[in-house]
mmCIF file of all heavy atoms in Angstrom:
data_model
loop_
_atom_site.group_PDB
_atom_site.id
_atom_site.type_symbol
_atom_site.label_atom_id
_atom_site.label_comp_id
_atom_site.label_asym_id
_atom_site.label_seq_id
_atom_site.Cartn_x
_atom_site.Cartn_y
_atom_site.Cartn_z
ATOM 1 N N GLN A 301 6.466 2.409 -117.863
ATOM 2 C CA GLN A 301 7.282 3.446 -117.240
ATOM 3 C C GLN A 301 6.533 4.760 -117.044
ATOM 4 O O GLN A 301 6.964 5.597 -116.248
ATOM 5 C CB GLN A 301 8.544 3.666 -118.077
ATOM 6 C CG GLN A 301 9.507 2.492 -118.019
ATOM 7 C CD GLN A 301 10.760 2.717 -118.840
ATOM 8 O OE1 GLN A 301 10.748 3.450 -119.828
ATOM 9 N NE2 GLN A 301 11.858 2.089 -118.434
ATOM 10 N N ASP A 302 5.422 4.950 -117.750
ATOM 11 C CA ASP A 302 4.642 6.177 -117.560
ATOM 12 C C ASP A 302 3.664 6.072 -116.400
ATOM 13 O O ASP A 302 2.815 6.939 -116.225
ATOM 14 C CB ASP A 302 3.913 6.563 -118.849
ATOM 15 C CG ASP A 302 2.914 5.502 -119.303
ATOM 16 O OD1 ASP A 302 2.867 4.420 -118.672
ATOM 17 O OD2 ASP A 302 2.195 5.745 -120.288
ATOM 18 N N GLY A 303 3.777 4.997 -115.592
ATOM 19 C CA GLY A 303 3.022 4.937 -114.347
ATOM 20 C C GLY A 303 1.760 4.107 -114.352
ATOM 21 O O GLY A 303 0.935 4.256 -113.450
ATOM 22 N N LEU A 304 1.574 3.214 -115.319
ATOM 23 C CA LEU A 304 0.431 2.307 -115.287
ATOM 24 C C LEU A 304 0.686 1.214 -114.259
ATOM 25 O O LEU A 304 1.718 0.543 -114.298
ATOM 26 C CB LEU A 304 0.183 1.689 -116.661
ATOM 27 C CG LEU A 304 -0.488 2.564 -117.715
ATOM 28 C CD1 LEU A 304 -0.640 1.788 -119.018
ATOM 29 C CD2 LEU A 304 -1.848 3.069 -117.236
ATOM 30 N N VAL A 305 -0.257 1.062 -113.344
ATOM 31 C CA VAL A 305 -0.108 0.107 -112.246
ATOM 32 C C VAL A 305 -1.327 -0.814 -112.225
ATOM 33 O O VAL A 305 -2.471 -0.348 -112.268
ATOM 34 C CB VAL A 305 0.016 0.836 -110.891
ATOM 35 C CG1 VAL A 305 0.154 -0.170 -109.749
ATOM 36 C CG2 VAL A 305 1.194 1.797 -110.906
ATOM 37 N N VAL A 306 -1.087 -2.105 -112.125
ATOM 38 C CA VAL A 306 -2.161 -3.095 -112.034
ATOM 39 C C VAL A 306 -2.332 -3.507 -110.590
ATOM 40 O O VAL A 306 -1.357 -3.762 -109.869
ATOM 41 C CB VAL A 306 -1.840 -4.332 -112.896
ATOM 42 C CG1 VAL A 306 -2.911 -5.414 -112.718
ATOM 43 C CG2 VAL A 306 -1.731 -3.946 -114.368
ATOM 44 N N THR A 307 -3.581 -3.576 -110.149
ATOM 45 C CA THR A 307 -3.892 -4.058 -108.810
ATOM 46 C C THR A 307 -5.229 -4.777 -108.870
ATOM 47 O O THR A 307 -5.773 -5.026 -109.949
ATOM 48 C CB THR A 307 -3.899 -2.900 -107.788
ATOM 49 O OG1 THR A 307 -4.079 -3.442 -106.469
ATOM 50 C CG2 THR A 307 -5.008 -1.906 -108.074
ATOM 51 N N ASN A 308 -5.773 -5.138 -107.692
ATOM 52 C CA ASN A 308 -7.088 -5.766 -107.639
ATOM 53 C C ASN A 308 -8.192 -4.725 -107.545
ATOM 54 O O ASN A 308 -8.009 -3.652 -106.953
ATOM 55 C CB ASN A 308 -7.218 -6.689 -106.431
ATOM 56 C CG ASN A 308 -6.535 -8.030 -106.625
ATOM 57 O OD1 ASN A 308 -5.866 -8.501 -105.720
ATOM 58 N ND2 ASN A 308 -6.707 -8.656 -107.772
ATOM 59 N N PHE A 309 -9.347 -5.057 -108.073
ATOM 60 C CA PHE A 309 -10.535 -4.219 -107.897
ATOM 61 C C PHE A 309 -10.831 -4.017 -106.415
ATOM 62 O O PHE A 309 -11.156 -2.913 -105.978
ATOM 63 C CB PHE A 309 -11.732 -4.869 -108.601
ATOM 64 C CG PHE A 309 -13.066 -4.355 -108.130
ATOM 65 C CD1 PHE A 309 -13.498 -3.080 -108.466
ATOM 66 C CD2 PHE A 309 -13.892 -5.144 -107.341
ATOM 67 C CE1 PHE A 309 -14.715 -2.597 -108.020
ATOM 68 C CE2 PHE A 309 -15.115 -4.676 -106.893
ATOM 69 C CZ PHE A 309 -15.534 -3.396 -107.234
ATOM 70 N N HIS A 310 -10.697 -5.090 -105.633
ATOM 71 C CA HIS A 310 -11.026 -4.974 -104.213
ATOM 72 C C HIS A 310 -10.023 -4.128 -103.439
ATOM 73 O O HIS A 310 -10.321 -3.669 -102.341
ATOM 74 C CB HIS A 310 -11.136 -6.369 -103.580
ATOM 75 C CG HIS A 310 -12.460 -7.012 -103.810
ATOM 76 N ND1 HIS A 310 -12.604 -8.179 -104.521
ATOM 77 C CD2 HIS A 310 -13.696 -6.634 -103.466
ATOM 78 C CE1 HIS A 310 -13.887 -8.498 -104.571
ATOM 79 N NE2 HIS A 310 -14.565 -7.571 -103.932
ATOM 80 N N VAL A 311 -8.848 -3.941 -103.984
ATOM 81 C CA VAL A 311 -7.884 -3.068 -103.326
ATOM 82 C C VAL A 311 -8.327 -1.614 -103.433
ATOM 83 O O VAL A 311 -8.271 -0.855 -102.464
ATOM 84 C CB VAL A 311 -6.477 -3.254 -103.932
ATOM 85 C CG1 VAL A 311 -5.514 -2.182 -103.411
ATOM 86 C CG2 VAL A 311 -5.933 -4.641 -103.581
ATOM 87 N N VAL A 312 -8.778 -1.211 -104.634
ATOM 88 C CA VAL A 312 -9.187 0.187 -104.829
ATOM 89 C C VAL A 312 -10.667 0.400 -104.558
ATOM 90 O O VAL A 312 -11.098 1.513 -104.241
ATOM 91 C CB VAL A 312 -8.851 0.667 -106.258
ATOM 92 C CG1 VAL A 312 -7.364 0.554 -106.519
ATOM 93 C CG2 VAL A 312 -9.644 -0.094 -107.320
ATOM 94 N N ASP A 313 -11.474 -0.648 -104.709
ATOM 95 C CA ASP A 313 -12.918 -0.574 -104.511
ATOM 96 C C ASP A 313 -13.494 0.558 -105.368
ATOM 97 O O ASP A 313 -13.262 0.598 -106.567
ATOM 98 C CB ASP A 313 -13.229 -0.398 -103.031
ATOM 99 C CG ASP A 313 -14.658 -0.810 -102.685
ATOM 100 O OD1 ASP A 313 -15.314 -1.435 -103.522
ATOM 101 O OD2 ASP A 313 -15.107 -0.502 -101.570
ATOM 102 N N ASP A 314 -14.198 1.501 -104.750
ATOM 103 C CA ASP A 314 -14.779 2.601 -105.537
ATOM 104 C C ASP A 314 -13.971 3.894 -105.419
ATOM 105 O O ASP A 314 -14.440 4.978 -105.784
ATOM 106 C CB ASP A 314 -16.231 2.857 -105.113
ATOM 107 C CG ASP A 314 -16.355 3.239 -103.637
ATOM 108 O OD1 ASP A 314 -15.340 3.182 -102.914
ATOM 109 O OD2 ASP A 314 -17.476 3.593 -103.209
ATOM 110 N N ALA A 315 -12.744 3.801 -104.904
ATOM 111 C CA ALA A 315 -11.910 4.999 -104.725
ATOM 112 C C ALA A 315 -11.517 5.587 -106.073
ATOM 113 O O ALA A 315 -11.347 4.874 -107.068
ATOM 114 C CB ALA A 315 -10.656 4.642 -103.932
ATOM 115 N N ARG A 316 -11.353 6.904 -106.120
ATOM 116 C CA ARG A 316 -10.860 7.584 -107.317
ATOM 117 C C ARG A 316 -9.374 7.882 -107.204
ATOM 118 O O ARG A 316 -8.657 7.867 -108.207
ATOM 119 C CB ARG A 316 -11.634 8.890 -107.534
ATOM 120 C CG ARG A 316 -13.109 8.691 -107.853
ATOM 121 C CD ARG A 316 -13.803 10.019 -108.063
ATOM 122 N NE ARG A 316 -13.210 10.787 -109.142
ATOM 123 C CZ ARG A 316 -13.551 12.037 -109.444
ATOM 124 N NH1 ARG A 316 -14.471 12.658 -108.737
ATOM 125 N NH2 ARG A 316 -12.975 12.653 -110.454
ATOM 126 N N ASP A 317 -8.909 8.151 -105.986
ATOM 127 C CA ASP A 317 -7.513 8.519 -105.768
ATOM 128 C C ASP A 317 -6.849 7.527 -104.820
ATOM 129 O O ASP A 317 -7.451 7.089 -103.828
ATOM 130 C CB ASP A 317 -7.417 9.930 -105.179
ATOM 131 C CG ASP A 317 -8.015 10.978 -106.103
ATOM 132 O OD1 ASP A 317 -7.637 10.991 -107.282
ATOM 133 O OD2 ASP A 317 -8.875 11.758 -105.637
ATOM 134 N N VAL A 318 -5.602 7.203 -105.122
ATOM 135 C CA VAL A 318 -4.848 6.268 -104.290
ATOM 136 C C VAL A 318 -3.433 6.796 -104.098
ATOM 137 O O VAL A 318 -2.991 7.711 -104.793
ATOM 138 C CB VAL A 318 -4.787 4.856 -104.930
ATOM 139 C CG1 VAL A 318 -6.162 4.245 -105.035
ATOM 140 C CG2 VAL A 318 -4.114 4.914 -106.305
ATOM 141 N N ARG A 319 -2.731 6.213 -103.164
ATOM 142 C CA ARG A 319 -1.318 6.520 -102.959
ATOM 143 C C ARG A 319 -0.513 5.277 -103.323
ATOM 144 O O ARG A 319 -0.822 4.168 -102.892
ATOM 145 C CB ARG A 319 -1.055 6.921 -101.511
ATOM 146 C CG ARG A 319 0.406 7.273 -101.231
ATOM 147 C CD ARG A 319 0.588 7.850 -99.838
ATOM 148 N NE ARG A 319 -0.063 9.163 -99.703
ATOM 149 C CZ ARG A 319 -1.188 9.382 -99.032
ATOM 150 N NH1 ARG A 319 -1.813 8.375 -98.436
ATOM 151 N NH2 ARG A 319 -1.711 10.583 -98.963
ATOM 152 N N VAL A 320 0.512 5.478 -104.138
ATOM 153 C CA VAL A 320 1.353 4.382 -104.600
ATOM 154 C C VAL A 320 2.730 4.534 -103.952
ATOM 155 O O VAL A 320 3.405 5.549 -104.139
ATOM 156 C CB VAL A 320 1.487 4.408 -106.138
ATOM 157 C CG1 VAL A 320 2.402 3.283 -106.608
ATOM 158 C CG2 VAL A 320 0.117 4.299 -106.797
ATOM 159 N N THR A 321 3.136 3.550 -103.169
ATOM 160 C CA THR A 321 4.425 3.592 -102.474
ATOM 161 C C THR A 321 5.323 2.487 -103.002
ATOM 162 O O THR A 321 4.954 1.310 -102.995
ATOM 163 C CB THR A 321 4.237 3.434 -100.954
ATOM 164 O OG1 THR A 321 3.323 4.427 -100.477
ATOM 165 C CG2 THR A 321 5.564 3.592 -100.236
ATOM 166 N N MET A 322 6.508 2.878 -103.441
ATOM 167 C CA MET A 322 7.459 1.944 -104.032
ATOM 168 C C MET A 322 8.393 1.359 -102.973
ATOM 169 O O MET A 322 8.475 1.883 -101.849
ATOM 170 C CB MET A 322 8.273 2.650 -105.124
ATOM 171 C CG MET A 322 7.425 3.268 -106.226
ATOM 172 S SD MET A 322 6.276 2.088 -107.002
ATOM 173 C CE MET A 322 7.443 0.913 -107.728
ATOM 174 N N PRO A 323 9.117 0.293 -103.287
ATOM 175 C CA PRO A 323 10.011 -0.331 -102.297
ATOM 176 C C PRO A 323 11.088 0.598 -101.751
ATOM 177 O O PRO A 323 11.574 0.398 -100.632
ATOM 178 C CB PRO A 323 10.642 -1.489 -103.083
ATOM 179 C CG PRO A 323 9.658 -1.811 -104.145
ATOM 180 C CD PRO A 323 9.046 -0.501 -104.525
ATOM 181 N N ASP A 324 11.471 1.635 -102.511
ATOM 182 C CA ASP A 324 12.487 2.565 -102.018
ATOM 183 C C ASP A 324 11.898 3.635 -101.102
ATOM 184 O O ASP A 324 12.597 4.548 -100.652
ATOM 185 C CB ASP A 324 13.235 3.222 -103.180
ATOM 186 C CG ASP A 324 12.316 4.051 -104.077
ATOM 187 O OD1 ASP A 324 11.110 4.166 -103.774
ATOM 188 O OD2 ASP A 324 12.813 4.580 -105.093
ATOM 189 N N GLY A 325 10.589 3.538 -100.826
ATOM 190 C CA GLY A 325 9.919 4.491 -99.945
ATOM 191 C C GLY A 325 9.292 5.668 -100.653
ATOM 192 O O GLY A 325 8.540 6.435 -100.033
ATOM 193 N N ALA A 326 9.576 5.848 -101.945
ATOM 194 C CA ALA A 326 8.992 6.963 -102.696
ATOM 195 C C ALA A 326 7.489 6.773 -102.823
ATOM 196 O O ALA A 326 7.011 5.686 -103.140
ATOM 197 C CB ALA A 326 9.625 7.048 -104.083
ATOM 198 N N SER A 327 6.752 7.862 -102.556
ATOM 199 C CA SER A 327 5.295 7.817 -102.586
ATOM 200 C C SER A 327 4.763 8.740 -103.676
ATOM 201 O O SER A 327 5.222 9.875 -103.811
ATOM 202 C CB SER A 327 4.738 8.224 -101.219
ATOM 203 O OG SER A 327 3.335 8.120 -101.196
ATOM 204 N N ARG A 328 3.815 8.246 -104.470
ATOM 205 C CA ARG A 328 3.222 9.032 -105.549
ATOM 206 C C ARG A 328 1.710 9.011 -105.406
ATOM 207 O O ARG A 328 1.125 8.063 -104.887
ATOM 208 C CB ARG A 328 3.582 8.438 -106.928
ATOM 209 C CG ARG A 328 4.992 7.853 -107.043
ATOM 210 C CD ARG A 328 6.009 8.912 -107.355
ATOM 211 N NE ARG A 328 7.340 8.330 -107.570
ATOM 212 C CZ ARG A 328 7.837 7.997 -108.745
ATOM 213 N NH1 ARG A 328 7.123 8.166 -109.837
ATOM 214 N NH2 ARG A 328 9.054 7.514 -108.841
ATOM 215 N N GLU A 329 1.084 10.075 -105.903
ATOM 216 C CA GLU A 329 -0.372 10.074 -106.002
ATOM 217 C C GLU A 329 -0.778 9.313 -107.260
ATOM 218 O O GLU A 329 -0.056 9.307 -108.265
ATOM 219 C CB GLU A 329 -0.912 11.509 -106.071
ATOM 220 C CG GLU A 329 -0.527 12.375 -104.864
ATOM 221 C CD GLU A 329 -1.052 11.795 -103.572
ATOM 222 O OE1 GLU A 329 -2.264 11.502 -103.506
ATOM 223 O OE2 GLU A 329 -0.250 11.612 -102.630
ATOM 224 N N GLY A 330 -1.942 8.681 -107.214
ATOM 225 C CA GLY A 330 -2.419 7.931 -108.367
ATOM 226 C C GLY A 330 -3.916 8.066 -108.534
ATOM 227 O O GLY A 330 -4.636 8.354 -107.567
ATOM 228 N N ARG A 331 -4.386 7.881 -109.746
ATOM 229 C CA ARG A 331 -5.821 7.932 -110.061
ATOM 230 C C ARG A 331 -6.245 6.601 -110.654
ATOM 231 O O ARG A 331 -5.522 6.023 -111.481
ATOM 232 C CB ARG A 331 -6.118 9.059 -111.058
ATOM 233 C CG ARG A 331 -5.850 10.452 -110.491
ATOM 234 C CD ARG A 331 -5.733 11.476 -111.582
ATOM 235 N NE ARG A 331 -4.660 11.159 -112.529
ATOM 236 C CZ ARG A 331 -3.365 11.279 -112.270
ATOM 237 N NH1 ARG A 331 -2.965 11.688 -111.065
ATOM 238 N NH2 ARG A 331 -2.454 10.970 -113.179
ATOM 239 N N VAL A 332 -7.410 6.147 -110.245
ATOM 240 C CA VAL A 332 -7.942 4.888 -110.774
ATOM 241 C C VAL A 332 -8.537 5.151 -112.155
ATOM 242 O O VAL A 332 -9.490 5.916 -112.295
ATOM 243 C CB VAL A 332 -9.001 4.292 -109.828
ATOM 244 C CG1 VAL A 332 -9.562 2.996 -110.418
ATOM 245 C CG2 VAL A 332 -8.412 4.040 -108.442
ATOM 246 N N LEU A 333 -7.965 4.510 -113.174
ATOM 247 C CA LEU A 333 -8.444 4.705 -114.545
ATOM 248 C C LEU A 333 -9.672 3.864 -114.845
ATOM 249 O O LEU A 333 -10.522 4.253 -115.655
ATOM 250 C CB LEU A 333 -7.335 4.353 -115.539
ATOM 251 C CG LEU A 333 -6.058 5.191 -115.491
ATOM 252 C CD1 LEU A 333 -5.091 4.710 -116.574
ATOM 253 C CD2 LEU A 333 -6.376 6.665 -115.680
#
């Protein structure tokens, strides 16, 4: 619930910042840990 999100390495590649969009349309900024 504190915002940990699992994805593929190839989705983020070498990016540091990503945008996370939920099914309700809400968009959040995210950082690759």
Side-chain angles (χ1 to χ4, degrees):
Q301 291 180 332
D302 62 354
L304 283 179
V305 179
V306 176
T307 186
N308 282 136
F309 161 72
H310 278 117
V311 171
V312 301
D313 201 12
D314 60 353
R316 294 180 59 187
D317 299 309
V318 296
R319 181 172 293 106
V320 178
T321 305
M322 303 306 297
D324 62 3
S327 183
R328 323 276 185 94
E329 301 300 308
R331 295 162 301 287
V332 179
L333 298 181

